[in-house]
Amino acid sequence: MKILDIIHDSIVDGKGLRAVIFFAGCPHRCKGCHNPESWNIGYGNAFTITEVMVEIKSNKAIQGVTLSGGDPFFQAKEILELAKEIKQNEYNLWAYTGFTFEEIIKDNVKLELLKQIDVLVDGRFVEELKDLTLRFRGSSNQRIIDVQKSIQENKIILYMN
Ligand code: SF4
């Protein structure tokens, strides 16, 4: 899997103190994207699952892990086993994606990664809907979804507004 950066102490990429993994590669090209350098998967460095887990575990205070980017669902196949390992270590797992929940569940590879996630912040960044007062998301079209409940009930259940 190709990774741009890993940080160990974020409080803005999900609830609590979190490690955040910024994956390289994003196909969405949103106008006003905060990080266009992340679009090119070639800018990422190759990491093994073991290497990423060592990074995550290096901060004993973190409560959860967030998959960000770029778009982690762009590398869904490569990231799936890492996501399983993160959950086996009992971390709460959030993910940011430019795909919508509805787009993800139509794609079997992306759906398998989704099944590992606790909370998904979905949808492209829409500059016209940018709102700095929103918590954990950039534009008002994006949703903060309770993934496990949504899969179970077969409809979108928001985790928070
Ligand atoms: S999904 Fe995120 S990283 Fe990708 S282009 Fe949109 S804002 Fe940028």
Side-chain angles (χ1 to χ4, degrees), residues 76-92:
K77 194 171 168 206
E78 293 78 2
I79 293 171
L80 175 60
E81 294 307 316
L82 171 66
K84 288 181 181 172
E85 186 76 18
I86 290 170
K87 288 308 296 172
Q88 274 162 17
N89 280 268
E90 298 185 352
Y91 291 106
N92 162 271

Side-chain angles (χ1 to χ4, degrees), residues 26-30 33-36 38-39 69-71 97-98 123-125:
C26 181
H28 304 299
R29 300 179 168 266
C30 308
C33 170
H34 59 292
N35 193 10
S38 69
W39 298 354
D71 191 329
T97 180
R124 291 156 188 77
F125 171 69

Side-chain angles (χ1 to χ4, degrees), residues 11-16 18 92 94 96 118-122 133-137 139-147 149-150 156-161:
I11 54 167
V12 296
D13 299 283
K15 274 196 174 165
R18 314 183 69 82
N92 162 271
W94 283 46
Y96 282 80
D118 296 301
V119 177
L120 183 80
V121 185
D122 84 331
T133 67
L134 296 170
R135 206 169 168 216
F136 303 136
R137 56 200 173 119
S139 57
S140 59
N141 61 300
Q142 295 169 321
R143 302 169 295 185
I144 305 176
I145 297 170
D146 185 322
V147 174
K149 276 191 191 163
S150 298
I156 301 282
I157 309 284
L158 292 182
Y159 176 75
M160 61 187 283
N161 282 313

Side-chain angles (χ1 to χ4, degrees), residues 8 15 17-19 21 52-67 82-94 116-119:
H8 307 92
K15 274 196 174 165
L17 186 69
R18 314 183 69 82
I21 309 165
V52 177
M53 291 310 298
V54 166
E55 290 282 334
I56 291 170
K57 290 179 179 177
S58 69
N59 183 351
K60 305 281 180 238
I62 64 162
Q63 294 143 342
V65 177
T66 299
L67 313 179
L82 171 66
K84 288 181 181 172
E85 186 76 18
I86 290 170
K87 288 308 296 172
Q88 274 162 17
N89 280 268
E90 298 185 352
Y91 291 106
N92 162 271
L93 185 58
W94 283 46
Q116 302 301 318
I117 308 292
D118 296 301
V119 177

